[in-house]
Amino acid sequence: MGGRGSSSSMGGGMGGGGAAGIAATQQQPQNAPPFAVPQGIKINAGNIITPAAVQQQQPPQPQQPPIAQAPTPTNTPVQPDALSALTKMSDDQLTGLLRQAKAAQIPNHLNDAPDITQKFAFVAGVNEKPTVLDDASFDQYLKDNHIPRRDILARSVNPITFKAGSVTFTYTAKDVTDMLKYSSLNYIGGKHGGQVYGAGTYFDKTGGRSTGYGNGTTSATAIAVLNPQTAHPISLNTLRSRIPTFQRSHPKFAQALGRADSDNYSIYAMAMGYNVITSDVNGYHNIIDRKALVYRASDN
């Protein structure tokens, strides 16, 4: 699948980990909604959904079965300006954080849980939420920031059903896109298949059209743009060219992380202060930190 990630058993390919990986970030007993926009928040031009508002008004979480621990504000750390904090760490500090990540137990999201990039982002607190705007406010945001509609990013997903232990989970495509926007966990995704731009949630610059992963009437396409204030993109070729210098200045971290390749490009990017890896040849965007995005509340 090239840079799109895998479309294997993960039901639609939300980056390398796929839709099921994201869905499992909000695992709930069967027939319980995995996520809903908090009550009291209206999606209209006069009431913009913001991360703080979502967190303050999030409804109580139902009791979770041990095999399906969901990310919550209690068990999912948030470090404000986490990327800035990472760039200020010494070689020893980054190495210590990487070792902590390798040993970390994080909220279960199926077979992506062992992925080192997800663990590193988790322990570093890269879990701030994106900005989510109602449709009218999103259009106004494009105008105010001089963002052409051709720069709109899209990520198509399918509904999924999967089993964790003896519990079956069924999520609609909208459930999955809601998790991208509102879950406590910043979903990174595991290394499955053709993630040539590193681990992350892959978007394509389609102007808002389906990315081709959807299966028709039951799929959904999340719509977003890069936030000029919070997005720190770097192209894959530029990242590759800068990694050797970073390795020389952080030899212990580089040795602990291993040879630079698509398994750890996203970790190197975060350590260097970048949260989006872009393609040099097409419109693919690997979103490592969802804080880099401004989402439209409604899907296509």
Side-chain angles (χ1 to χ4, degrees):
M1 297 295 292
R4 289 175 181 252
S6 167
S7 59
S8 60
S9 61
M10 307 306 282
M14 289 302 307
I22 290 184
T25 65
Q26 288 287 341
Q27 295 175 16
Q28 309 253 353
Q30 188 176 12
N31 300 324
F35 191 88
V37 177
Q39 294 181 356
I41 293 183
K42 298 178 180 179
I43 303 178
N44 56 49
N47 190 349
I48 294 174
I49 296 178
T50 64
V54 171
Q55 183 167 336
Q56 291 170 4
Q57 301 190 39
Q58 186 167 345
Q61 295 288 322
Q63 185 68 36
Q64 301 293 331
I67 61 169
Q69 180 190 21
T72 68
T74 301
N75 66 17
T76 304
V78 176
Q79 170 64 49
D81 297 320
L83 290 181
S84 178
L86 285 172
T87 62
K88 296 174 183 176
M89 287 187 177
S90 66
D91 188 20
D92 286 336
Q93 289 173 323
L94 278 175
T95 304
L97 187 68
L98 181 61
R99 288 173 179 162
Q100 180 185 348
K102 290 179 177 180
Q105 297 295 318
I106 68 177
N108 179 27
H109 47 292
L110 295 184
N111 59 341
D112 288 329
D115 181 72
I116 186 57
T117 304
Q118 181 73 77
K119 286 188 170 188
F120 186 81
F122 181 85
V123 299
V126 185
N127 288 305
E128 290 187 84
K129 294 180 180 178
T131 299
V132 182
L133 304 178
D134 66 88
D135 290 14
S137 297
F138 184 82
D139 288 341
Q140 188 61 48
Y141 183 87
L142 298 182
K143 294 177 183 178
D144 292 344
N145 289 276
H146 308 290
I147 300 174
R149 299 195 74 84
R150 64 176 178 272
D151 286 349
I152 292 176
L153 305 174
R155 175 69 267 179
S156 299
V157 302
N158 295 318
I160 57 165
T161 298
F162 61 91
K163 202 169 203 179
S166 60
V167 181
T168 299
F169 302 92
T170 299
Y171 298 144
T172 67
K174 185 179 184 304
D175 291 334
V176 177
T177 59
D178 279 351
M179 290 168 193
L180 284 174
K181 302 164 190 171
Y182 309 118
S183 171
S184 294
L185 180 74
N186 168 46
Y187 179 77
I188 298 294
K191 182 70 170 59
H192 297 277
Q195 270 196 328
V196 298
Y197 306 106
T201 301
Y202 281 46
F203 282 71
D204 197 357
K205 189 190 292 186
T206 66
R209 299 183 305 277
S210 169
T211 58
Y213 289 123
N215 60 6
T217 58
T218 59
S219 64
T221 298
I223 301 299
V225 292
L226 294 182
N227 185 330
Q229 282 71 50
T230 59
H232 303 289
I234 186 171
S235 73
L236 179 60
N237 284 344
T238 301
L239 176 65
R240 285 171 171 164
S241 70
R242 294 182 181 178
I243 285 176
T245 300
F246 187 82
Q247 289 173 321
R248 287 192 292 272
S249 62
H250 298 77
K252 296 178 183 177
F253 177 70
Q255 182 178 14
L257 190 53
R259 181 177 66 89
D261 57 23
S262 59
D263 287 329
N264 55 37
Y265 281 151
S266 296
I267 296 178
Y268 274 110
M270 284 188 282
M272 296 164 67
Y274 303 104
N275 54 14
V276 179
I277 300 176
T278 63
S279 169
D280 294 275
V281 296
N282 54 46
Y284 294 159
H285 285 59
N286 172 16
I287 308 300
I288 309 168
D289 175 10
R290 62 184 174 176
K291 182 185 176 183
L293 295 178
V294 173
Y295 275 99
R296 192 180 71 186
S298 65
D299 302 322
N300 276 359

PDB file of all heavy atoms in Angstrom, residues 6 8 28-30 35 44 51 60 72 77 79 89 100 102 119 131 144 164 189 198 208 211 222 237 240 257 271 292:
ATOM      1  N   SER A   6      -1.215  -0.210   6.224  1.00  0.00           N
ATOM      2  CA  SER A   6      -1.750  -1.493   5.801  1.00  0.00           C
ATOM      3  C   SER A   6      -3.248  -1.487   5.792  1.00  0.00           C
ATOM      4  O   SER A   6      -3.898  -0.842   6.583  1.00  0.00           O
ATOM      5  CB  SER A   6      -1.242  -2.582   6.759  1.00  0.00           C
ATOM      6  OG  SER A   6      -1.948  -3.771   6.565  1.00  0.00           O
ATOM      7  N   SER A   8      -4.770  -4.447   6.199  1.00  0.00           N
ATOM      8  CA  SER A   8      -4.917  -5.829   6.590  1.00  0.00           C
ATOM      9  C   SER A   8      -6.150  -6.023   7.445  1.00  0.00           C
ATOM     10  O   SER A   8      -7.166  -5.429   7.227  1.00  0.00           O
ATOM     11  CB  SER A   8      -3.657  -6.283   7.346  1.00  0.00           C
ATOM     12  OG  SER A   8      -3.475  -5.505   8.497  1.00  0.00           O
ATOM     13  N   GLN A  28     -15.322  -0.885  24.915  1.00  0.00           N
ATOM     14  CA  GLN A  28     -16.432  -0.888  25.842  1.00  0.00           C
ATOM     15  C   GLN A  28     -17.164  -2.212  25.713  1.00  0.00           C
ATOM     16  O   GLN A  28     -17.034  -2.904  24.704  1.00  0.00           O
ATOM     17  CB  GLN A  28     -17.398   0.257  25.509  1.00  0.00           C
ATOM     18  CG  GLN A  28     -16.722   1.604  25.367  1.00  0.00           C
ATOM     19  CD  GLN A  28     -17.001   2.520  26.527  1.00  0.00           C
ATOM     20  OE1 GLN A  28     -17.803   2.191  27.384  1.00  0.00           O
ATOM     21  NE2 GLN A  28     -16.354   3.647  26.568  1.00  0.00           N
ATOM     22  N   PRO A  29     -17.970  -2.599  26.702  1.00  0.00           N
ATOM     23  CA  PRO A  29     -18.758  -3.811  26.565  1.00  0.00           C
ATOM     24  C   PRO A  29     -19.639  -3.727  25.330  1.00  0.00           C
ATOM     25  O   PRO A  29     -20.040  -2.658  24.894  1.00  0.00           O
ATOM     26  CB  PRO A  29     -19.598  -3.820  27.854  1.00  0.00           C
ATOM     27  CG  PRO A  29     -18.793  -3.029  28.822  1.00  0.00           C
ATOM     28  CD  PRO A  29     -18.121  -1.959  27.999  1.00  0.00           C
ATOM     29  N   GLN A  30     -19.972  -4.888  24.760  1.00  0.00           N
ATOM     30  CA  GLN A  30     -20.751  -4.929  23.530  1.00  0.00           C
ATOM     31  C   GLN A  30     -22.044  -4.156  23.694  1.00  0.00           C
ATOM     32  O   GLN A  30     -22.691  -4.200  24.720  1.00  0.00           O
ATOM     33  CB  GLN A  30     -21.060  -6.385  23.169  1.00  0.00           C
ATOM     34  CG  GLN A  30     -21.697  -6.520  21.785  1.00  0.00           C
ATOM     35  CD  GLN A  30     -21.884  -7.974  21.426  1.00  0.00           C
ATOM     36  OE1 GLN A  30     -21.753  -8.824  22.280  1.00  0.00           O
ATOM     37  NE2 GLN A  30     -22.173  -8.231  20.162  1.00  0.00           N
ATOM     38  N   PHE A  35     -17.840   5.955  22.065  1.00  0.00           N
ATOM     39  CA  PHE A  35     -17.597   7.369  22.361  1.00  0.00           C
ATOM     40  C   PHE A  35     -18.747   8.171  21.821  1.00  0.00           C
ATOM     41  O   PHE A  35     -19.276   7.881  20.762  1.00  0.00           O
ATOM     42  CB  PHE A  35     -16.290   7.887  21.740  1.00  0.00           C
ATOM     43  CG  PHE A  35     -15.946   9.230  22.273  1.00  0.00           C
ATOM     44  CD1 PHE A  35     -15.195   9.353  23.416  1.00  0.00           C
ATOM     45  CD2 PHE A  35     -16.461  10.369  21.695  1.00  0.00           C
ATOM     46  CE1 PHE A  35     -14.937  10.599  23.958  1.00  0.00           C
ATOM     47  CE2 PHE A  35     -16.212  11.613  22.223  1.00  0.00           C
ATOM     48  CZ  PHE A  35     -15.438  11.721  23.360  1.00  0.00           C
ATOM     49  N   ASN A  44     -22.204  23.979  16.628  1.00  0.00           N
ATOM     50  CA  ASN A  44     -22.713  25.054  15.784  1.00  0.00           C
ATOM     51  C   ASN A  44     -21.703  26.186  15.793  1.00  0.00           C
ATOM     52  O   ASN A  44     -20.724  26.159  16.523  1.00  0.00           O
ATOM     53  CB  ASN A  44     -24.093  25.533  16.267  1.00  0.00           C
ATOM     54  CG  ASN A  44     -24.077  25.970  17.724  1.00  0.00           C
ATOM     55  OD1 ASN A  44     -23.215  26.743  18.127  1.00  0.00           O
ATOM     56  ND2 ASN A  44     -25.016  25.467  18.530  1.00  0.00           N
ATOM     57  N   PRO A  51     -10.704  20.990  22.825  1.00  0.00           N
ATOM     58  CA  PRO A  51     -10.253  19.884  23.663  1.00  0.00           C
ATOM     59  C   PRO A  51     -10.607  20.066  25.127  1.00  0.00           C
ATOM     60  O   PRO A  51     -11.012  19.133  25.793  1.00  0.00           O
ATOM     61  CB  PRO A  51      -8.728  19.901  23.439  1.00  0.00           C
ATOM     62  CG  PRO A  51      -8.569  20.484  22.083  1.00  0.00           C
ATOM     63  CD  PRO A  51      -9.664  21.527  21.974  1.00  0.00           C
ATOM     64  N   PRO A  60     -19.186  10.051  32.496  1.00  0.00           N
ATOM     65  CA  PRO A  60     -18.482   9.013  33.258  1.00  0.00           C
ATOM     66  C   PRO A  60     -18.292   7.765  32.405  1.00  0.00           C
ATOM     67  O   PRO A  60     -19.152   7.389  31.615  1.00  0.00           O
ATOM     68  CB  PRO A  60     -19.435   8.738  34.435  1.00  0.00           C
ATOM     69  CG  PRO A  60     -20.293   9.954  34.525  1.00  0.00           C
ATOM     70  CD  PRO A  60     -20.435  10.475  33.132  1.00  0.00           C
ATOM     71  N   THR A  72      -8.420   6.865  29.451  1.00  0.00           N
ATOM     72  CA  THR A  72      -9.218   7.884  30.115  1.00  0.00           C
ATOM     73  C   THR A  72      -8.291   9.018  30.524  1.00  0.00           C
ATOM     74  O   THR A  72      -7.063   8.864  30.522  1.00  0.00           O
ATOM     75  CB  THR A  72      -9.907   7.323  31.379  1.00  0.00           C
ATOM     76  OG1 THR A  72      -8.903   7.022  32.365  1.00  0.00           O
ATOM     77  CG2 THR A  72     -10.710   6.061  31.059  1.00  0.00           C
ATOM     78  N   PRO A  77      -1.517  10.039  30.212  1.00  0.00           N
ATOM     79  CA  PRO A  77      -0.838  11.290  30.566  1.00  0.00           C
ATOM     80  C   PRO A  77      -0.877  12.313  29.441  1.00  0.00           C
ATOM     81  O   PRO A  77      -0.852  11.964  28.258  1.00  0.00           O
ATOM     82  CB  PRO A  77       0.599  10.846  30.841  1.00  0.00           C
ATOM     83  CG  PRO A  77       0.772   9.619  30.002  1.00  0.00           C
ATOM     84  CD  PRO A  77      -0.564   8.929  30.014  1.00  0.00           C
ATOM     85  N   GLN A  79       1.151  15.881  28.443  1.00  0.00           N
ATOM     86  CA  GLN A  79       2.205  16.856  28.696  1.00  0.00           C
ATOM     87  C   GLN A  79       1.990  18.044  27.765  1.00  0.00           C
ATOM     88  O   GLN A  79       2.164  17.915  26.548  1.00  0.00           O
ATOM     89  CB  GLN A  79       3.580  16.244  28.437  1.00  0.00           C
ATOM     90  CG  GLN A  79       4.737  17.232  28.429  1.00  0.00           C
ATOM     91  CD  GLN A  79       4.964  17.894  29.761  1.00  0.00           C
ATOM     92  OE1 GLN A  79       5.034  17.226  30.782  1.00  0.00           O
ATOM     93  NE2 GLN A  79       5.071  19.211  29.757  1.00  0.00           N
ATOM     94  N   MET A  89      15.314  17.847  26.020  1.00  0.00           N
ATOM     95  CA  MET A  89      15.889  16.766  26.810  1.00  0.00           C
ATOM     96  C   MET A  89      17.321  16.473  26.379  1.00  0.00           C
ATOM     97  O   MET A  89      17.671  16.585  25.209  1.00  0.00           O
ATOM     98  CB  MET A  89      15.047  15.491  26.663  1.00  0.00           C
ATOM     99  CG  MET A  89      13.725  15.529  27.392  1.00  0.00           C
ATOM    100  SD  MET A  89      12.893  13.910  27.319  1.00  0.00           S
ATOM    101  CE  MET A  89      11.449  14.266  28.331  1.00  0.00           C
ATOM    102  N   GLN A 100      11.849   3.716  29.443  1.00  0.00           N
ATOM    103  CA  GLN A 100      10.561   3.712  30.131  1.00  0.00           C
ATOM    104  C   GLN A 100       9.446   3.301  29.174  1.00  0.00           C
ATOM    105  O   GLN A 100       8.546   2.537  29.536  1.00  0.00           O
ATOM    106  CB  GLN A 100      10.272   5.100  30.711  1.00  0.00           C
ATOM    107  CG  GLN A 100       8.955   5.211  31.455  1.00  0.00           C
ATOM    108  CD  GLN A 100       8.663   6.632  31.912  1.00  0.00           C
ATOM    109  OE1 GLN A 100       9.546   7.497  31.871  1.00  0.00           O
ATOM    110  NE2 GLN A 100       7.439   6.887  32.325  1.00  0.00           N
ATOM    111  N   LYS A 102       9.663   1.402  26.482  1.00  0.00           N
ATOM    112  CA  LYS A 102       9.748  -0.013  26.139  1.00  0.00           C
ATOM    113  C   LYS A 102       9.122  -0.895  27.204  1.00  0.00           C
ATOM    114  O   LYS A 102       8.582  -1.965  26.899  1.00  0.00           O
ATOM    115  CB  LYS A 102      11.214  -0.410  25.918  1.00  0.00           C
ATOM    116  CG  LYS A 102      11.830   0.187  24.653  1.00  0.00           C
ATOM    117  CD  LYS A 102      13.282  -0.224  24.499  1.00  0.00           C
ATOM    118  CE  LYS A 102      13.884   0.323  23.199  1.00  0.00           C
ATOM    119  NZ  LYS A 102      15.301  -0.057  23.027  1.00  0.00           N
ATOM    120  N   LYS A 119       4.044   3.667  22.350  1.00  0.00           N
ATOM    121  CA  LYS A 119       4.469   3.708  23.754  1.00  0.00           C
ATOM    122  C   LYS A 119       5.294   4.963  24.045  1.00  0.00           C
ATOM    123  O   LYS A 119       5.149   5.587  25.097  1.00  0.00           O
ATOM    124  CB  LYS A 119       5.275   2.452  24.088  1.00  0.00           C
ATOM    125  CG  LYS A 119       4.443   1.188  24.219  1.00  0.00           C
ATOM    126  CD  LYS A 119       5.309   0.046  24.735  1.00  0.00           C
ATOM    127  CE  LYS A 119       4.466  -1.161  25.098  1.00  0.00           C
ATOM    128  NZ  LYS A 119       5.277  -2.192  25.775  1.00  0.00           N
ATOM    129  N   THR A 131      -8.102  20.435  17.778  1.00  0.00           N
ATOM    130  CA  THR A 131      -9.238  21.347  17.720  1.00  0.00           C
ATOM    131  C   THR A 131     -10.281  20.752  16.786  1.00  0.00           C
ATOM    132  O   THR A 131      -9.943  20.236  15.720  1.00  0.00           O
ATOM    133  CB  THR A 131      -8.793  22.726  17.193  1.00  0.00           C
ATOM    134  OG1 THR A 131      -7.812  23.267  18.078  1.00  0.00           O
ATOM    135  CG2 THR A 131      -9.976  23.687  17.102  1.00  0.00           C
ATOM    136  N   ASP A 144      -9.894  32.396   7.225  1.00  0.00           N
ATOM    137  CA  ASP A 144      -9.088  33.241   8.116  1.00  0.00           C
ATOM    138  C   ASP A 144      -7.601  32.912   8.022  1.00  0.00           C
ATOM    139  O   ASP A 144      -6.745  33.787   8.222  1.00  0.00           O
ATOM    140  CB  ASP A 144      -9.548  33.085   9.562  1.00  0.00           C
ATOM    141  CG  ASP A 144     -10.935  33.668   9.804  1.00  0.00           C
ATOM    142  OD1 ASP A 144     -11.409  34.445   8.943  1.00  0.00           O
ATOM    143  OD2 ASP A 144     -11.559  33.327  10.838  1.00  0.00           O
ATOM    144  N   ALA A 164     -11.918  -9.324  21.525  1.00  0.00           N
ATOM    145  CA  ALA A 164     -10.797  -9.250  22.461  1.00  0.00           C
ATOM    146  C   ALA A 164     -11.117 -10.200  23.599  1.00  0.00           C
ATOM    147  O   ALA A 164     -12.017  -9.953  24.393  1.00  0.00           O
ATOM    148  CB  ALA A 164     -10.599  -7.834  22.984  1.00  0.00           C
ATOM    149  N   GLY A 189      -0.707   4.102  16.161  1.00  0.00           N
ATOM    150  CA  GLY A 189      -0.824   2.946  15.284  1.00  0.00           C
ATOM    151  C   GLY A 189       0.457   2.149  15.253  1.00  0.00           C
ATOM    152  O   GLY A 189       1.554   2.690  15.359  1.00  0.00           O
ATOM    153  N   GLY A 198       6.812   6.027   8.572  1.00  0.00           N
ATOM    154  CA  GLY A 198       6.822   5.829  10.012  1.00  0.00           C
ATOM    155  C   GLY A 198       5.442   5.509  10.548  1.00  0.00           C
ATOM    156  O   GLY A 198       4.441   5.543   9.831  1.00  0.00           O
ATOM    157  N   GLY A 208     -10.692  16.671   0.613  1.00  0.00           N
ATOM    158  CA  GLY A 208     -11.862  16.211   1.355  1.00  0.00           C
ATOM    159  C   GLY A 208     -12.535  14.989   0.767  1.00  0.00           C
ATOM    160  O   GLY A 208     -13.483  14.459   1.337  1.00  0.00           O
ATOM    161  N   THR A 211     -10.388   8.672   0.670  1.00  0.00           N
ATOM    162  CA  THR A 211      -9.012   8.264   0.378  1.00  0.00           C
ATOM    163  C   THR A 211      -8.947   6.888  -0.266  1.00  0.00           C
ATOM    164  O   THR A 211      -7.868   6.386  -0.533  1.00  0.00           O
ATOM    165  CB  THR A 211      -8.180   8.242   1.674  1.00  0.00           C
ATOM    166  OG1 THR A 211      -8.797   7.356   2.612  1.00  0.00           O
ATOM    167  CG2 THR A 211      -8.080   9.622   2.270  1.00  0.00           C
ATOM    168  N   ALA A 222     -12.925  11.199   7.706  1.00  0.00           N
ATOM    169  CA  ALA A 222     -12.598  12.312   8.598  1.00  0.00           C
ATOM    170  C   ALA A 222     -11.931  13.415   7.794  1.00  0.00           C
ATOM    171  O   ALA A 222     -11.084  13.153   6.929  1.00  0.00           O
ATOM    172  CB  ALA A 222     -11.695  11.842   9.721  1.00  0.00           C
ATOM    173  N   ASN A 237      12.289  12.899   3.279  1.00  0.00           N
ATOM    174  CA  ASN A 237      13.676  13.018   2.828  1.00  0.00           C
ATOM    175  C   ASN A 237      14.476  13.975   3.706  1.00  0.00           C
ATOM    176  O   ASN A 237      15.650  13.721   4.010  1.00  0.00           O
ATOM    177  CB  ASN A 237      13.723  13.488   1.375  1.00  0.00           C
ATOM    178  CG  ASN A 237      13.365  12.375   0.397  1.00  0.00           C
ATOM    179  OD1 ASN A 237      13.360  11.198   0.755  1.00  0.00           O
ATOM    180  ND2 ASN A 237      13.055  12.745  -0.837  1.00  0.00           N
ATOM    181  N   ARG A 240      15.227  12.166   6.998  1.00  0.00           N
ATOM    182  CA  ARG A 240      16.332  11.217   6.824  1.00  0.00           C
ATOM    183  C   ARG A 240      17.682  11.920   6.800  1.00  0.00           C
ATOM    184  O   ARG A 240      18.673  11.426   7.352  1.00  0.00           O
ATOM    185  CB  ARG A 240      16.141  10.441   5.523  1.00  0.00           C
ATOM    186  CG  ARG A 240      15.066   9.362   5.562  1.00  0.00           C
ATOM    187  CD  ARG A 240      14.816   8.834   4.167  1.00  0.00           C
ATOM    188  NE  ARG A 240      13.951   7.669   4.138  1.00  0.00           N
ATOM    189  CZ  ARG A 240      13.347   7.225   3.057  1.00  0.00           C
ATOM    190  NH1 ARG A 240      13.509   7.856   1.895  1.00  0.00           N
ATOM    191  NH2 ARG A 240      12.572   6.150   3.101  1.00  0.00           N
ATOM    192  N   LEU A 257      17.697   3.179  20.336  1.00  0.00           N
ATOM    193  CA  LEU A 257      16.601   3.144  19.369  1.00  0.00           C
ATOM    194  C   LEU A 257      16.928   2.258  18.179  1.00  0.00           C
ATOM    195  O   LEU A 257      16.042   1.594  17.625  1.00  0.00           O
ATOM    196  CB  LEU A 257      16.290   4.568  18.890  1.00  0.00           C
ATOM    197  CG  LEU A 257      15.032   4.775  18.049  1.00  0.00           C
ATOM    198  CD1 LEU A 257      13.802   4.207  18.749  1.00  0.00           C
ATOM    199  CD2 LEU A 257      14.833   6.266  17.782  1.00  0.00           C
ATOM    200  N   ALA A 271      11.389  13.459  18.727  1.00  0.00           N
ATOM    201  CA  ALA A 271      12.540  13.897  19.511  1.00  0.00           C
ATOM    202  C   ALA A 271      13.163  15.162  18.941  1.00  0.00           C
ATOM    203  O   ALA A 271      13.767  15.963  19.664  1.00  0.00           O
ATOM    204  CB  ALA A 271      13.585  12.786  19.590  1.00  0.00           C
ATOM    205  N   ALA A 292      -1.667  18.550  15.882  1.00  0.00           N
ATOM    206  CA  ALA A 292      -1.293  19.252  14.653  1.00  0.00           C
ATOM    207  C   ALA A 292      -2.483  19.530  13.753  1.00  0.00           C
ATOM    208  O   ALA A 292      -2.344  20.259  12.768  1.00  0.00           O
ATOM    209  CB  ALA A 292      -0.251  18.442  13.888  1.00  0.00           C
TER     210      ALA A 292
END
